[in-house]
Amino acid sequence: VAEPKPAPRVGVVLILLKGKSVLLGRRRGTIGHSTYALPGGHLEFGESFEECAARELKEETGLDIEKPEYLTVTNTIFREIPKPAHYVTIYLRAVLADTSQVPQNLEPEKCDGWDWYEWDKLPEPLFLPLEEMVRSGFNPFPTE
Ligand code: 8DG
Ligand code: MG
Ligand code: MG
């Protein structure tokens, strides 16, 4: 049987801000294995970007957000073996609804664990789309 023709998919990811830091986790078992990436996932049918970001964050870390705001979009072709993938990814930023909340690793098959990293001292290697965004000089923090 022929494989269905691959199509681009929509990712929604969250830059969760806490002081000068953002929340990152090391990916497992999928594209970008063992690279540091933002929480997020696939946009589901009927969802807003804000709903998707809040849902994925909750599923992956147990955290709740406030003030989600659209930031930017990336278009990335992952030339990975055995299966390439193509993502249009929407980036939102937000802050914690309750700053005393601590991230939990609720999907350990997909992530080694969550932690806060200063934007100026990000860990390596970063997931490709994030790596490109950082290299371009992108700054996710609100300007006061
Ligand atoms: P789901 O089944 O929960 O919907 O998906 P997931 O398992 O959480 O998907 P994911 O891989 O975490 O995110 C979906 C895609 O979004 C990912 O395969 C590629 C794209 N993506 C980027 N940048 C980032 C990023 O920094 N973090 C995450 N999580 N995904 C990203 O382009
Ligand atoms: Mg997910
Ligand atoms: Mg995810």
Side-chain angles (χ1 to χ4, degrees):
V1 205
E3 293 254 324
K5 200 168 174 241
R9 301 185 75 188
V10 180
V12 177
V13 301
L14 187 65
I15 303 189
L16 186 59
L17 303 177
K18 188 178 169 176
K20 293 178 180 174
S21 298
V22 300
L23 190 72
L24 299 177
R26 204 165 185 181
R27 293 171 67 80
R28 290 184 65 91
T30 175
I31 46 175
H33 183 80
S34 88
T35 63
Y36 290 88
L38 301 161
H42 299 96
L43 185 67
E44 290 184 358
F45 189 89
E47 264 183 336
S48 70
F49 297 148
E50 291 79 5
E51 286 166 346
C52 181
R55 175 184 56 74
E56 285 289 342
L57 184 76
K58 188 77 180 171
E59 290 172 0
E60 297 182 348
T61 71
L63 298 172
D64 300 297
I65 55 168
E66 233 168 49
K67 300 191 210 123
E69 285 179 279
Y70 168 82
L71 284 178
T72 189
V73 62
T74 56
N75 183 39
T76 310
I77 296 100
F78 298 91
R79 303 181 190 284
E80 302 211 4
I81 311 292
K83 237 182 155 193
H86 181 171
Y87 277 95
V88 173
T89 304
I90 314 299
Y91 295 73
L92 283 79
R93 76 169 167 224
V95 293
L96 284 171
D98 167 1
T99 50
S100 70
Q101 263 192 321
V102 172
Q104 298 165 262
N105 192 17
L106 298 180
E107 294 181 343
E109 70 289 356
K110 289 186 181 180
C111 180
D112 282 337
W114 299 103
D115 215 337
W116 301 97
Y117 297 91
E118 281 191 33
W119 187 256
D120 294 335
K121 294 178 207 159
L122 293 173
E124 286 180 6
L126 289 175
F127 191 30
L128 177 64
L130 188 57
E131 159 76 33
E132 290 174 352
M133 172 179 293
V134 169
R135 221 188 301 135
S136 79
F138 185 81
N139 178 356
F141 294 88
T143 46
E144 269 142 287

